[in-house]
Amino acid sequence: MAVDELDTRILRLLIEEPRTSVRESARQLGVARGTLQARLDRLERDGVITGSGPVLSPAALGHPVLAFVHIEVTQGHLDEVGDALAAVPEIVEVFSITGGGDLLTRVVARDNGHLEDVIQRLIQLPGVVRTRTEVVLRERVKHRMLPLVEAVGRAAKGRR
């Protein structure tokens, strides 16, 4: 999907000021409200914008420990294990990966003891062969999209 300069400005505004109304956003961007709404609809339809809810802090919800758990799965059981992982509330993301393991999970916990309990639960799932856990000490770069949006916008501008 091609993202042009206006799309980039729209996405930047959504990232920087997510609670701004469509009317106010259109005013700030200097475009008609209908134009902005059509662009937003297209960006959603094309999968560029995938949500609009709040970003929550697991730490503020009482789960300050963050770990990445690599899971090796018995061949042919990837979907079953993936479905079982979706039932574990402390698992906030799961990815199929290449390399050392089959799945990479992002796990949050109340403390190290709770993390161990979660890992023990994972080990007991049918199809799980072994796990390897890496505990996060400090977040160095927060999840972000604005630098990517700006790079895509610059590339689109350069193609004109």
Side-chain angles (χ1 to χ4, degrees):
M1 120 120 245
V3 174
D4 65 14
E5 189 176 355
L6 178 55
D7 293 332
T8 301
R9 290 174 47 221
I10 291 168
L11 293 170
R12 181 183 304 116
L13 184 59
L14 285 175
I15 291 168
E16 292 176 343
E17 301 178 39
R19 293 180 175 216
T20 304
S21 69
V22 173
R23 172 178 278 157
E24 177 59 20
S25 294
R27 188 193 66 72
Q28 288 183 30
L29 294 166
V31 299
R33 184 180 180 280
T35 299
L36 175 58
Q37 189 62 61
R39 292 290 185 118
L40 290 171
D41 291 345
R42 181 180 51 81
L43 290 166
E44 286 181 17
R45 187 176 55 253
D46 291 347
V48 174
I49 297 174
T50 59
S52 61
V55 177
L56 305 177
S57 165
L61 291 170
H63 289 67
V65 175
L66 172 61
F68 292 95
V69 179
H70 298 258
I71 301 175
E72 187 178 324
V73 177
T74 304
Q75 284 189 333
H77 294 272
L78 198 58
D79 289 338
E80 295 166 36
V81 172
D83 291 344
L85 294 174
V88 179
E90 294 87 357
I91 294 180
V92 295
E93 288 182 298
V94 180
F95 302 94
S96 294
I97 60 169
T98 62
D102 300 300
L103 297 170
L104 176 64
T105 65
R106 188 166 73 137
V107 178
V108 296
R110 292 185 302 272
D111 53 39
N112 287 346
H114 182 219
L115 176 60
E116 182 182 13
D117 294 342
V118 172
I119 293 166
Q120 289 301 319
R121 181 175 174 190
L122 301 181
I123 291 169
Q124 294 172 11
L125 294 174
V128 172
V129 176
R130 75 177 47 85
T131 65
R132 187 181 88 240
T133 303
E134 297 163 349
V135 176
V136 172
L137 300 176
R138 179 179 298 151
E139 184 177 53
R140 298 290 179 169
V141 177
K142 290 199 176 293
H143 177 80
R144 63 199 183 136
M145 293 301 297
L146 187 55
L148 178 61
V149 166
E150 290 176 340
V152 169
R154 282 192 301 276
K157 191 174 183 178
R159 288 191 298 267
R160 290 194 294 155

PDB file of all heavy atoms in Angstrom, residues 16 32 35 48-49 55 63 65 67 70 87 91 107 116 122 128 130 132 141 145-146 154-156:
ATOM      1  N   GLU A  16       0.876  11.362  17.620  1.00  0.00           N
ATOM      2  CA  GLU A  16       1.227  12.414  18.578  1.00  0.00           C
ATOM      3  C   GLU A  16       0.027  12.915  19.382  1.00  0.00           C
ATOM      4  O   GLU A  16       0.181  13.310  20.532  1.00  0.00           O
ATOM      5  CB  GLU A  16       1.897  13.579  17.849  1.00  0.00           C
ATOM      6  CG  GLU A  16       3.269  13.214  17.300  1.00  0.00           C
ATOM      7  CD  GLU A  16       3.915  14.321  16.492  1.00  0.00           C
ATOM      8  OE1 GLU A  16       3.203  15.266  16.073  1.00  0.00           O
ATOM      9  OE2 GLU A  16       5.137  14.236  16.270  1.00  0.00           O
ATOM     10  N   ALA A  32     -10.074  19.107   4.102  1.00  0.00           N
ATOM     11  CA  ALA A  32     -11.500  18.975   4.387  1.00  0.00           C
ATOM     12  C   ALA A  32     -11.742  17.757   5.276  1.00  0.00           C
ATOM     13  O   ALA A  32     -11.022  16.754   5.179  1.00  0.00           O
ATOM     14  CB  ALA A  32     -12.285  18.839   3.085  1.00  0.00           C
ATOM     15  N   THR A  35     -12.191  14.617   3.313  1.00  0.00           N
ATOM     16  CA  THR A  35     -10.911  14.099   2.795  1.00  0.00           C
ATOM     17  C   THR A  35     -10.201  13.300   3.872  1.00  0.00           C
ATOM     18  O   THR A  35      -9.719  12.190   3.627  1.00  0.00           O
ATOM     19  CB  THR A  35     -10.011  15.254   2.314  1.00  0.00           C
ATOM     20  OG1 THR A  35     -10.681  15.948   1.270  1.00  0.00           O
ATOM     21  CG2 THR A  35      -8.658  14.757   1.840  1.00  0.00           C
ATOM     22  N   VAL A  48      -3.156  -0.397   7.539  1.00  0.00           N
ATOM     23  CA  VAL A  48      -2.098   0.470   8.080  1.00  0.00           C
ATOM     24  C   VAL A  48      -2.460   0.856   9.513  1.00  0.00           C
ATOM     25  O   VAL A  48      -1.632   0.758  10.417  1.00  0.00           O
ATOM     26  CB  VAL A  48      -1.899   1.728   7.196  1.00  0.00           C
ATOM     27  CG1 VAL A  48      -0.904   2.684   7.837  1.00  0.00           C
ATOM     28  CG2 VAL A  48      -1.445   1.321   5.799  1.00  0.00           C
ATOM     29  N   ILE A  49      -3.688   1.283   9.712  1.00  0.00           N
ATOM     30  CA  ILE A  49      -4.193   1.570  11.063  1.00  0.00           C
ATOM     31  C   ILE A  49      -4.922   0.319  11.530  1.00  0.00           C
ATOM     32  O   ILE A  49      -5.882  -0.120  10.906  1.00  0.00           O
ATOM     33  CB  ILE A  49      -5.154   2.781  11.053  1.00  0.00           C
ATOM     34  CG1 ILE A  49      -4.421   4.038  10.608  1.00  0.00           C
ATOM     35  CG2 ILE A  49      -5.770   2.978  12.441  1.00  0.00           C
ATOM     36  CD1 ILE A  49      -5.329   5.249  10.428  1.00  0.00           C
ATOM     37  N   VAL A  55      -3.215   2.502  24.989  1.00  0.00           N
ATOM     38  CA  VAL A  55      -2.030   1.684  25.226  1.00  0.00           C
ATOM     39  C   VAL A  55      -1.926   1.521  26.736  1.00  0.00           C
ATOM     40  O   VAL A  55      -1.877   2.520  27.462  1.00  0.00           O
ATOM     41  CB  VAL A  55      -0.766   2.360  24.649  1.00  0.00           C
ATOM     42  CG1 VAL A  55       0.464   1.536  24.957  1.00  0.00           C
ATOM     43  CG2 VAL A  55      -0.925   2.575  23.147  1.00  0.00           C
ATOM     44  N   HIS A  63       1.939  -5.805  37.013  1.00  0.00           N
ATOM     45  CA  HIS A  63       2.794  -6.817  36.380  1.00  0.00           C
ATOM     46  C   HIS A  63       4.055  -6.151  35.812  1.00  0.00           C
ATOM     47  O   HIS A  63       4.209  -6.014  34.596  1.00  0.00           O
ATOM     48  CB  HIS A  63       2.020  -7.544  35.280  1.00  0.00           C
ATOM     49  CG  HIS A  63       0.963  -8.445  35.792  1.00  0.00           C
ATOM     50  ND1 HIS A  63      -0.167  -7.997  36.433  1.00  0.00           N
ATOM     51  CD2 HIS A  63       0.884  -9.795  35.795  1.00  0.00           C
ATOM     52  CE1 HIS A  63      -0.898  -9.021  36.789  1.00  0.00           C
ATOM     53  NE2 HIS A  63      -0.290 -10.127  36.422  1.00  0.00           N
ATOM     54  N   VAL A  65       7.221  -7.192  35.805  1.00  0.00           N
ATOM     55  CA  VAL A  65       8.259  -8.066  35.262  1.00  0.00           C
ATOM     56  C   VAL A  65       7.905  -8.407  33.820  1.00  0.00           C
ATOM     57  O   VAL A  65       6.786  -8.833  33.526  1.00  0.00           O
ATOM     58  CB  VAL A  65       8.403  -9.357  36.101  1.00  0.00           C
ATOM     59  CG1 VAL A  65       9.401 -10.312  35.470  1.00  0.00           C
ATOM     60  CG2 VAL A  65       8.807  -9.008  37.525  1.00  0.00           C
ATOM     61  N   ALA A  67       9.319 -10.557  30.392  1.00  0.00           N
ATOM     62  CA  ALA A  67      10.250 -11.575  29.911  1.00  0.00           C
ATOM     63  C   ALA A  67       9.846 -12.020  28.518  1.00  0.00           C
ATOM     64  O   ALA A  67       8.675 -11.921  28.125  1.00  0.00           O
ATOM     65  CB  ALA A  67      10.258 -12.773  30.854  1.00  0.00           C
ATOM     66  N   HIS A  70      11.095 -18.178  24.764  1.00  0.00           N
ATOM     67  CA  HIS A  70      11.180 -18.943  23.521  1.00  0.00           C
ATOM     68  C   HIS A  70      10.607 -20.323  23.819  1.00  0.00           C
ATOM     69  O   HIS A  70      10.958 -20.933  24.841  1.00  0.00           O
ATOM     70  CB  HIS A  70      12.637 -19.093  23.079  1.00  0.00           C
ATOM     71  CG  HIS A  70      13.303 -17.797  22.785  1.00  0.00           C
ATOM     72  ND1 HIS A  70      13.507 -17.353  21.505  1.00  0.00           N
ATOM     73  CD2 HIS A  70      13.811 -16.840  23.598  1.00  0.00           C
ATOM     74  CE1 HIS A  70      14.116 -16.184  21.537  1.00  0.00           C
ATOM     75  NE2 HIS A  70      14.314 -15.855  22.803  1.00  0.00           N
ATOM     76  N   ALA A  87      -4.781 -18.675  25.930  1.00  0.00           N
ATOM     77  CA  ALA A  87      -5.590 -18.785  27.150  1.00  0.00           C
ATOM     78  C   ALA A  87      -4.825 -18.359  28.404  1.00  0.00           C
ATOM     79  O   ALA A  87      -5.387 -18.349  29.490  1.00  0.00           O
ATOM     80  CB  ALA A  87      -6.095 -20.213  27.305  1.00  0.00           C
ATOM     81  N   ILE A  91       0.484 -13.842  28.979  1.00  0.00           N
ATOM     82  CA  ILE A  91       1.134 -13.794  27.666  1.00  0.00           C
ATOM     83  C   ILE A  91       0.454 -12.698  26.865  1.00  0.00           C
ATOM     84  O   ILE A  91      -0.733 -12.781  26.578  1.00  0.00           O
ATOM     85  CB  ILE A  91       1.053 -15.149  26.946  1.00  0.00           C
ATOM     86  CG1 ILE A  91       1.867 -16.177  27.727  1.00  0.00           C
ATOM     87  CG2 ILE A  91       1.554 -15.020  25.508  1.00  0.00           C
ATOM     88  CD1 ILE A  91       1.863 -17.556  27.124  1.00  0.00           C
ATOM     89  N   VAL A 107       5.886 -12.109  27.917  1.00  0.00           N
ATOM     90  CA  VAL A 107       5.171 -12.498  29.132  1.00  0.00           C
ATOM     91  C   VAL A 107       5.362 -11.423  30.193  1.00  0.00           C
ATOM     92  O   VAL A 107       6.467 -10.901  30.363  1.00  0.00           O
ATOM     93  CB  VAL A 107       5.719 -13.848  29.673  1.00  0.00           C
ATOM     94  CG1 VAL A 107       5.026 -14.254  30.951  1.00  0.00           C
ATOM     95  CG2 VAL A 107       5.587 -14.941  28.618  1.00  0.00           C
ATOM     96  N   GLU A 116       7.981 -17.538  37.251  1.00  0.00           N
ATOM     97  CA  GLU A 116       8.303 -18.971  37.291  1.00  0.00           C
ATOM     98  C   GLU A 116       7.029 -19.815  37.203  1.00  0.00           C
ATOM     99  O   GLU A 116       6.978 -20.821  36.484  1.00  0.00           O
ATOM    100  CB  GLU A 116       9.073 -19.322  38.562  1.00  0.00           C
ATOM    101  CG  GLU A 116       9.455 -20.787  38.615  1.00  0.00           C
ATOM    102  CD  GLU A 116      10.182 -21.185  39.886  1.00  0.00           C
ATOM    103  OE1 GLU A 116      10.194 -20.390  40.851  1.00  0.00           O
ATOM    104  OE2 GLU A 116      10.719 -22.302  39.914  1.00  0.00           O
ATOM    105  N   LEU A 122       3.505 -23.140  31.163  1.00  0.00           N
ATOM    106  CA  LEU A 122       3.809 -23.303  29.744  1.00  0.00           C
ATOM    107  C   LEU A 122       4.466 -24.647  29.472  1.00  0.00           C
ATOM    108  O   LEU A 122       4.137 -25.322  28.481  1.00  0.00           O
ATOM    109  CB  LEU A 122       4.724 -22.177  29.253  1.00  0.00           C
ATOM    110  CG  LEU A 122       4.218 -20.748  29.394  1.00  0.00           C
ATOM    111  CD1 LEU A 122       5.225 -19.765  28.834  1.00  0.00           C
ATOM    112  CD2 LEU A 122       2.859 -20.582  28.744  1.00  0.00           C
ATOM    113  N   VAL A 128       4.609 -28.734  24.061  1.00  0.00           N
ATOM    114  CA  VAL A 128       5.770 -27.913  24.409  1.00  0.00           C
ATOM    115  C   VAL A 128       6.924 -28.830  24.797  1.00  0.00           C
ATOM    116  O   VAL A 128       6.796 -29.664  25.700  1.00  0.00           O
ATOM    117  CB  VAL A 128       5.447 -26.929  25.558  1.00  0.00           C
ATOM    118  CG1 VAL A 128       6.713 -26.228  26.038  1.00  0.00           C
ATOM    119  CG2 VAL A 128       4.414 -25.906  25.098  1.00  0.00           C
ATOM    120  N   ARG A 130      10.397 -27.577  25.238  1.00  0.00           N
ATOM    121  CA  ARG A 130      11.217 -26.846  26.220  1.00  0.00           C
ATOM    122  C   ARG A 130      11.021 -25.364  26.029  1.00  0.00           C
ATOM    123  O   ARG A 130      10.527 -24.924  25.001  1.00  0.00           O
ATOM    124  CB  ARG A 130      12.690 -27.236  26.132  1.00  0.00           C
ATOM    125  CG  ARG A 130      13.460 -26.686  24.978  1.00  0.00           C
ATOM    126  CD  ARG A 130      14.950 -27.069  24.986  1.00  0.00           C
ATOM    127  NE  ARG A 130      15.228 -28.448  25.234  1.00  0.00           N
ATOM    128  CZ  ARG A 130      15.236 -29.405  24.303  1.00  0.00           C
ATOM    129  NH1 ARG A 130      14.999 -29.093  23.057  1.00  0.00           N
ATOM    130  NH2 ARG A 130      15.499 -30.636  24.616  1.00  0.00           N
ATOM    131  N   ARG A 132      12.963 -21.358  26.890  1.00  0.00           N
ATOM    132  CA  ARG A 132      14.156 -20.583  27.270  1.00  0.00           C
ATOM    133  C   ARG A 132      13.667 -19.180  27.558  1.00  0.00           C
ATOM    134  O   ARG A 132      12.993 -18.564  26.730  1.00  0.00           O
ATOM    135  CB  ARG A 132      15.181 -20.579  26.136  1.00  0.00           C
ATOM    136  CG  ARG A 132      16.501 -19.938  26.562  1.00  0.00           C
ATOM    137  CD  ARG A 132      17.530 -19.901  25.448  1.00  0.00           C
ATOM    138  NE  ARG A 132      17.334 -18.668  24.694  1.00  0.00           N
ATOM    139  CZ  ARG A 132      17.035 -18.599  23.408  1.00  0.00           C
ATOM    140  NH1 ARG A 132      16.874 -19.679  22.701  1.00  0.00           N
ATOM    141  NH2 ARG A 132      16.883 -17.423  22.816  1.00  0.00           N
ATOM    142  N   VAL A 141      14.299   1.304  24.193  1.00  0.00           N
ATOM    143  CA  VAL A 141      13.545   2.051  23.186  1.00  0.00           C
ATOM    144  C   VAL A 141      12.097   1.582  23.298  1.00  0.00           C
ATOM    145  O   VAL A 141      11.805   0.418  23.088  1.00  0.00           O
ATOM    146  CB  VAL A 141      14.060   1.792  21.749  1.00  0.00           C
ATOM    147  CG1 VAL A 141      13.211   2.527  20.718  1.00  0.00           C
ATOM    148  CG2 VAL A 141      15.532   2.189  21.622  1.00  0.00           C
ATOM    149  N   MET A 145       6.291   3.927  16.359  1.00  0.00           N
ATOM    150  CA  MET A 145       6.035   3.801  14.930  1.00  0.00           C
ATOM    151  C   MET A 145       6.355   5.085  14.165  1.00  0.00           C
ATOM    152  O   MET A 145       6.540   5.055  12.958  1.00  0.00           O
ATOM    153  CB  MET A 145       4.570   3.416  14.685  1.00  0.00           C
ATOM    154  CG  MET A 145       4.210   2.026  15.170  1.00  0.00           C
ATOM    155  SD  MET A 145       5.174   0.691  14.433  1.00  0.00           S
ATOM    156  CE  MET A 145       4.743   0.826  12.729  1.00  0.00           C
ATOM    157  N   LEU A 146       6.426   6.211  14.868  1.00  0.00           N
ATOM    158  CA  LEU A 146       6.620   7.489  14.196  1.00  0.00           C
ATOM    159  C   LEU A 146       7.893   7.537  13.334  1.00  0.00           C
ATOM    160  O   LEU A 146       7.825   7.995  12.182  1.00  0.00           O
ATOM    161  CB  LEU A 146       6.587   8.643  15.194  1.00  0.00           C
ATOM    162  CG  LEU A 146       6.602  10.044  14.602  1.00  0.00           C
ATOM    163  CD1 LEU A 146       5.468  10.235  13.598  1.00  0.00           C
ATOM    164  CD2 LEU A 146       6.508  11.090  15.703  1.00  0.00           C
ATOM    165  N   ARG A 154       9.109  10.040   3.729  1.00  0.00           N
ATOM    166  CA  ARG A 154      10.242  10.612   2.977  1.00  0.00           C
ATOM    167  C   ARG A 154      10.490   9.827   1.699  1.00  0.00           C
ATOM    168  O   ARG A 154      10.751  10.390   0.636  1.00  0.00           O
ATOM    169  CB  ARG A 154      11.502  10.640   3.831  1.00  0.00           C
ATOM    170  CG  ARG A 154      11.547  11.756   4.852  1.00  0.00           C
ATOM    171  CD  ARG A 154      12.916  11.913   5.476  1.00  0.00           C
ATOM    172  NE  ARG A 154      13.387  10.710   6.152  1.00  0.00           N
ATOM    173  CZ  ARG A 154      13.066  10.360   7.407  1.00  0.00           C
ATOM    174  NH1 ARG A 154      12.277  11.136   8.144  1.00  0.00           N
ATOM    175  NH2 ARG A 154      13.553   9.267   7.956  1.00  0.00           N
ATOM    176  N   ALA A 155      10.386   8.521   1.784  1.00  0.00           N
ATOM    177  CA  ALA A 155      10.594   7.675   0.594  1.00  0.00           C
ATOM    178  C   ALA A 155       9.512   7.944  -0.443  1.00  0.00           C
ATOM    179  O   ALA A 155       9.807   8.016  -1.645  1.00  0.00           O
ATOM    180  CB  ALA A 155      10.606   6.201   0.983  1.00  0.00           C
ATOM    181  N   ALA A 156       8.268   8.109   0.008  1.00  0.00           N
ATOM    182  CA  ALA A 156       7.172   8.401  -0.933  1.00  0.00           C
ATOM    183  C   ALA A 156       7.374   9.754  -1.594  1.00  0.00           C
ATOM    184  O   ALA A 156       7.132   9.905  -2.791  1.00  0.00           O
ATOM    185  CB  ALA A 156       5.826   8.376  -0.181  1.00  0.00           C
TER     186      ALA A 156
END
